[in-house]
Amino acid sequence: MSGVEALALVGILASVLQLVDFSGQAFARIKECREDSCHLPKAFWNLQNQLPLASHALQVTWKQAESNELDESTCKALRPVIEDCQAGVNDLKAILEKVAPSPSDPEWKRNLKALKSCFHDKDITLIAASISKSLTVISQYHGAFTATTTGKILQKLTAAVATIPDEDGNESDAPVRHFMIPIIWSNDFTGRKETMERLEKRMSDCGKHRRVALVGLGGVGKTRVMLEYAYRFKDSETHSVFWIHASSISRVNKTFLEIAKKAKISGWDDPKSNKLELVKGWLESPLSGKWVLLVDNADDFHMLFGPGSLMGSLPRSSEGSILMTTRDARVGMEFAKQDTMFLSALTLKESISLLDTRLGSRKNDIEDLEKLSEELCGVPLALVQASSFIRQNFLSIPNYLELYRASDTDKIELLSEDFDDEIRDPETRNPVAATWCITFDHILKRDPMAAEILSVMSTLDAQAIPESLIFSGHKLRFSKAMGTLQAFTLITARTDGPTWEGRLEKSFDLHRLVRLAMRSWLHINRELENYTARALSMTAQRFTDGQWETRGKWSSYLPHAAVLLASEQLAGLEDLIMTPVSHDNDQESGMVNHIPDGIVCPVCAASLLTILSTCYYTIGRLSVSLEEAEKAYRLKRHFLGEAHVDTLATLDLIAKPAKDLYMFPRAVEACQLAIKGKSETLGPDHPSSLLSMAILGITYRPMGLLEEAKKIGMHALERRREILGNTHPDTFSSMSYVGTVVRALGDYDTAMKLETEKFQGWTKLRGISHPETLEAMAGLAWAYACQGNYDRAAPLMSHSLSLQIELRGLRYWFTMWTMANMAVILGMQGKYFEAEELCQKVISLRMEYMGALHPFCYVSKLYLAWLYNETSRYDLAEAIELEVLNFQKVFYRGNTHHDVLLTKSQLASTYAFLGKHQEAELLKIEVLKTRLKLTGIEHPVTSRCKSSLGMTLTDLERLSEAETLLIDAWEAQKKVLGDEHPETSTTTSRIAKLYERQGRRKEAVNLYHETVEASIRALGADHPRTVARLRDLHRFETVRRSPEATVNLHPAKVSRTISVGFQNLDLVEERKD
């Protein structure tokens, strides 16, 4: 062997041995973590199966290299491949060291690491794929016998990388194949041979991503061609097939959710996760295998290519291809470029074949078939509907043609105007519309109930219409009517309806063009407003609940209610104020009677808007919730009157999102109107009146009106206890409101009692995993944190956060609140960098989902600045604090709001860190004066300000003034917070330094010892503040025992990181109602 060969071989051996060694270590670590399945997501689990395979493959390579089976060229080729593999393994090692919990970790820390590991799922997948690719290349250089053996191993490895375990933990050797087609296939497809051949040729993968668009007039058969193409993969062992409804963004979101759920993509059950991004990322990864994505009815150019377009959510992968259908040629050409296929009508021969197949065994005159084909222009949908009509009504083709030719051309022209087809000849009659008009007329005569149901369905969203929403009359008659509509191919039964109360909810799709034609037909017959009114009344009566527990049902109603309320028939309802409307419930039938009948009822519209507002609030869409509530209130005020109980109740729906959005004037106005009206109408102690009072109280809290908030909140709580009882949900809500307020007032003991009672109550009433219970758990954790008991606060907050992420997702507002407070608790425990990572995540989420100018974003930024101070990054902290202060002054319109004062206090401390003691003193004096005026002399925040100012005066050698402030703060803290509270210990430490400066060494040493002992008890021996205080004590003892010893640091500058102390303990104290 040459010297070059020897060097190459040595390099190969060293690299391979290192990789084999780490793969064994990583395997053991992951296996250990997997014993507790809640602490690593499934993406990490796969590595347990991959790493032994990787290790084995590498050992084979090592043995080949050691036995001189690899020549010089092979070694040179293998070296960069193994180095790439090694880089991936190093990245993997770094991630595992960061997020994999250790057996010695406490439960809260394991939960926190599990949360952090969620952010690395995609990284793990990419690293595993990269390693697999490198090992596949390695196998190509093995010897003949060894290559065969290793190739099998690598084949299993590649399959394992792409495998996601199912819910039972079973794993296969290859990506799971899915066939998700919601439309039932039939074997009557005829013709289109050339089209199918061209389509298959263009869609053939050839190792690269393919995109093809089918463009044509509605009803021309685009969907049918796509369905036929899809079913050619029905028994495929290599390809998955997914179907996307792209008629509206809501349908796109729903379909992507169905795919994510079926494929068990991590995060699919998070109600606030972006399902489009989840599915896209999965399809672009090796986990999905080969796939075909079918995008149907993609007709909205703006939705596809406008701002926030859907096109960016469609995946690109060499393992997949996309087929799209659209009426709009602009969409097709923009999407597929040169691979756009224009689908025209059937040829005469194809049309005749289709008709002959659909009409069955009866003998048909070829001439009649030709005439019908020509009259209907070879449009498949028209031909299918016509043949169905002929067959079920025992007509001949000449009879049908006679009916067809007798139709009113005005109807056809009006219907044709609604068609959006740029390439259609405007002089050509629209045969689809003509056929549908005949069909509608006949159904009206043959089955009036079917016609009524179809008319109602045409006012709703065309996709996934729940049967429970349109059901009317006798069950048998209804079933027959639905059968009629399906027989004429006007509606299609879905196979993927939602499950509610253990029963699969039937739902139906109405072809978009059928819907359009039906609406046009209703308009011509002056019935569109009538059926819109019926649909509105039915939906308002059946869509009555927007609570979290029933979201499985109302989520299927939501798109249809939104379409109804957006229809032009409901535009200008407020202008009907002079039109008298009767809206009464029939006691016998339970139906609503409207006089005059057939007009859109503004009261029903208002009721539906009310429910929509509740639903949107439940899922955290606050702006939309407020908008719908305002619309509902205006309608109810006009048509029911300002004093009507429904009108007054709607004010509560305005106040809650307005308060959460920090629109305080509107929230207060709504509450005051509600309280006044309800007190006069229902009485001041009515539960509804007390609800409005409670909302007003919690609205005053973030406004800084704490005493007013406490007074109103306590009144509502006491009355609810007396009238509703201690275990009523409204009483628990009041406990939460009052607990938040008294905590802000510094009464931590009362807050703790209320939070404990509330948590125990919700646990008993709803169970430990209910959202209300989890919010109560987070509130209790924060109460412990305010008392300085971080060891009890951390596990509670961590557990609540983990379950909230699972139940509601990261993007729900209370999940963000809990995450923000978890970051604060971590900081108070001295885990600054863990806190910083979580804080950065909160800022990102809040800016994206609450808006960059929401006050909560700035609250989180301020806490980030505090962490920068604790880690000696003072310049960064100062920049953020100035930004936050400038925003808050404008937003709160002044300098006296609690958040403004908090920011000023923190900025002053930063000035002190930077040696700007004069600036720090002026700012601290200003804040203290305001605090004394607003919160009183014994409030914890006042004492905190005194202690901070005393420290600055000590730095300025104004020791007498400093002593007065520090002693006053210390006495108040011991009285209000207790001797063991971390804030009390901070002031004790500052007094010890002051006494040392004054030469009062005996008193100083006692206080130094007292501070260290209290810090160990409250924070632990390893906390940065405890460590700093031990250093202070050691330094002081050293100097006291050896006066000649020199001390490099001024006592006031030693352990500078603890000087701020716990000054921003209530930094993210926000509303939790």
Side-chain angles (χ1 to χ4, degrees), residues 63 118 247 255 264 296 298 350 352 496 620 739 792 1042 1060:
K63 288 179 180 179
C118 293
S247 57
T255 311
K264 300 174 184 175
D296 196 23
E350 290 173 331
I352 291 173
D496 56 350
R792 296 196 67 176
S1042 304
V1060 177

Side-chain angles (χ1 to χ4, degrees), residues 43-197:
F44 288 72
W45 295 4
N46 298 329
L47 293 172
Q48 184 179 359
N49 300 309
Q50 297 165 24
L51 290 171
L53 294 171
S55 177
H56 183 81
L58 290 167
Q59 285 174 352
V60 170
T61 305
W62 180 78
K63 288 179 180 179
Q64 285 185 314
E66 190 179 40
S67 61
N68 296 326
E69 293 182 32
L70 302 180
D71 57 22
E72 180 182 355
S73 61
T74 301
C75 289
K76 288 182 177 179
L78 279 175
R79 183 63 181 269
V81 176
I82 291 179
E83 288 176 351
D84 288 343
C85 186
Q86 185 173 16
V89 168
N90 288 336
D91 291 342
L92 174 61
K93 183 177 181 181
I95 292 174
L96 285 174
E97 289 177 348
K98 187 174 183 180
V99 304
S102 300
S104 60
D105 286 344
E107 179 67 19
W108 70 265
K109 190 168 186 177
R110 296 173 72 86
N111 284 334
L112 180 63
K113 287 187 175 181
L115 169 65
K116 291 166 64 177
S117 70
C118 293
F119 305 139
H120 294 283
D121 262 8
K122 188 172 182 181
D123 296 334
I124 289 292
T125 301
L126 293 175
I127 290 170
S130 175
I131 294 173
S132 174
K133 182 178 178 181
S134 298
L135 292 174
T136 301
V137 174
I138 294 171
S139 71
Q140 297 174 1
Y141 291 94
H142 290 174
F145 172 78
T146 308
T148 301
T149 304
T150 308
K152 293 179 180 178
I153 296 171
L154 293 175
Q155 184 179 8
K156 293 181 180 179
L157 173 63
T158 303
V161 170
T163 299
I164 297 179
D166 59 25
E167 292 180 353
D168 298 323
N170 299 321
E171 299 177 11
S172 62
D173 291 332
V176 177
R177 194 187 70 83
H178 302 282
F179 188 79
M180 297 184 64
I181 305 296
I183 302 174
I184 300 173
W185 180 78
S186 61
N187 62 356
D188 59 358
F189 183 80
T190 61
R192 302 291 195 192
K193 180 180 178 180
E194 182 182 350
T195 298
M196 296 305 299
E197 290 175 351

Side-chain angles (χ1 to χ4, degrees), residues 180-183 223 226 241-260 275-276 279-280 283 291-298 303-304 310 313-315 322-325 463 494:
M180 297 184 64
I181 305 296
I183 302 174
T223 299
M226 189 159 73
V241 182
F242 305 98
W243 192 287
I244 303 295
H245 291 288
S247 57
S248 68
I249 193 63
S250 61
R251 291 300 304 138
V252 170
N253 288 329
K254 187 174 187 298
T255 311
F256 270 73
L257 170 60
E258 293 164 356
I259 294 174
K275 305 304 184 298
L276 278 68
V279 173
K280 178 186 178 185
L283 289 175
W291 50 265
V292 177
L293 188 63
L294 307 173
V295 184
D296 196 23
N297 292 326
M303 182 183 80
L304 291 163
L310 172 62
S313 297
L314 294 181
I322 304 177
L323 175 60
M324 173 185 285
T325 68
Q463 301 289 333
R494 295 176 62 90

Side-chain angles (χ1 to χ4, degrees), residues 295-531:
V295 184
D296 196 23
N297 292 326
D299 300 329
D300 189 336
F301 189 95
H302 182 75
M303 182 183 80
L304 291 163
F305 300 105
S309 66
L310 172 62
M311 199 53 55
S313 297
L314 294 181
R316 284 187 178 273
S317 169
S318 60
E319 297 297 311
S321 55
I322 304 177
L323 175 60
M324 173 185 285
T325 68
T326 178
R327 288 172 58 211
D328 193 342
R330 298 171 302 170
V331 172
M333 290 185 287
E334 182 69 17
F335 171 75
K337 305 299 187 289
Q338 70 273 16
D339 282 327
T340 301
M341 295 176 56
F342 291 89
L343 195 63
S344 59
L346 296 172
T347 65
L348 182 59
K349 182 179 178 180
E350 290 173 331
S351 298
I352 291 173
S353 177
L354 176 59
L355 283 171
D356 206 33
T357 301
R358 295 287 299 188
L359 289 172
S361 59
R362 60 189 294 176
K363 293 183 179 180
N364 300 296
D365 190 303
I366 188 64
E367 195 172 317
D368 289 337
L369 290 171
E370 288 179 357
K371 288 180 180 179
L372 182 55
S373 298
E374 290 173 351
E375 192 68 37
L376 298 179
C377 300
V379 177
L381 183 57
L383 295 170
V384 169
Q385 288 177 325
S387 61
S388 179
F389 185 90
I390 290 169
R391 181 162 40 86
Q392 293 193 10
N393 293 280
F394 306 99
L395 298 175
S396 65
I397 293 176
N399 293 148
Y400 183 88
L401 287 171
E402 183 180 356
L403 289 171
Y404 174 76
R405 289 165 179 164
S407 300
D408 189 344
T409 56
D410 289 338
K411 296 179 183 178
I412 300 169
E413 290 177 4
L414 288 171
L415 183 58
S416 299
E417 290 179 357
D418 286 328
F419 279 58
D420 180 23
D421 194 333
E422 297 289 334
I423 63 173
R424 182 178 62 84
D425 184 356
E427 298 298 322
T428 301
R429 293 168 60 208
N430 191 324
V432 179
T435 301
W436 285 339
C437 286
I438 295 171
T439 304
F440 298 156
D441 283 329
H442 183 76
I443 291 177
L444 180 61
K445 295 176 183 177
R446 172 184 167 179
D447 193 341
M449 175 175 278
E452 289 190 4
I453 293 171
L454 185 62
S455 300
V456 170
M457 292 178 76
S458 71
T459 67
L460 306 172
D461 186 76
Q463 301 289 333
I465 303 172
E467 183 180 73
S468 60
L469 188 58
I470 57 176
F471 176 81
S472 63
H474 192 270
K475 186 174 182 179
L476 179 59
R477 289 180 59 209
F478 177 80
S479 297
K480 289 182 176 180
M482 296 300 288
T484 298
L485 297 177
Q486 292 180 77
F488 279 94
T489 329
L490 296 174
I491 64 173
T492 305
R494 295 176 62 90
T495 60
D496 56 350
T499 300
W500 176 246
E501 295 180 344
R503 182 179 65 87
L504 181 66
E505 168 81 286
K506 291 183 180 179
S507 61
F508 301 88
D509 287 344
L510 176 64
H511 191 287
R512 184 180 53 79
L513 290 178
V514 173
R515 178 180 182 272
L516 181 61
M518 189 67 198
R519 290 175 65 83
S520 179
W521 184 77
L522 290 172
H523 180 72
I524 293 169
N525 289 279
R526 299 182 180 180
E527 290 286 350
L528 184 55
E529 183 176 3
N530 176 34
Y531 281 101

